[in-house]
Amino acid sequence: MLKFIKGPMESIEGVAIYPMISLLIFFFFFAGLFWWVFTAKKDYINEVSNLPLDLNENEN
């Protein structure tokens, strides 16, 4: 199975940059997500976490 993927990919010039780009996108996304989580205000987190409970109370 790997030879069907590896063979054509080796013939493409500059294909080695795509794994690096995907790794950088992955890293920056999760680094930004961790930064947002640690800098988010506690009031906002509590308000958003209680939204499902507030919606159920308003329906009754």
Side-chain angles (χ1 to χ4, degrees):
M1 175 79 178
L2 185 60
K3 65 181 175 180
F4 294 116
I5 297 170
K6 189 177 177 184
M9 291 302 236
E10 287 177 344
S11 66
I12 300 173
E13 200 167 310
V15 76
I17 192 71
Y18 294 113
M20 291 302 294
I21 291 172
S22 62
L23 178 66
L24 288 174
I25 290 171
F26 176 82
F27 176 76
F28 285 123
F29 174 77
F30 282 102
L33 188 65
F34 282 134
W35 176 78
W36 179 79
V37 166
F38 288 121
T39 60
K41 296 191 186 303
K42 300 294 180 193
D43 294 335
Y44 175 75
I45 299 296
N46 288 333
E47 179 183 342
V48 173
S49 66
N50 288 328
L51 275 177
L53 300 174
D54 292 342
L55 291 175
N56 288 337
E57 289 176 1
N58 290 339
E59 290 177 0
N60 292 331

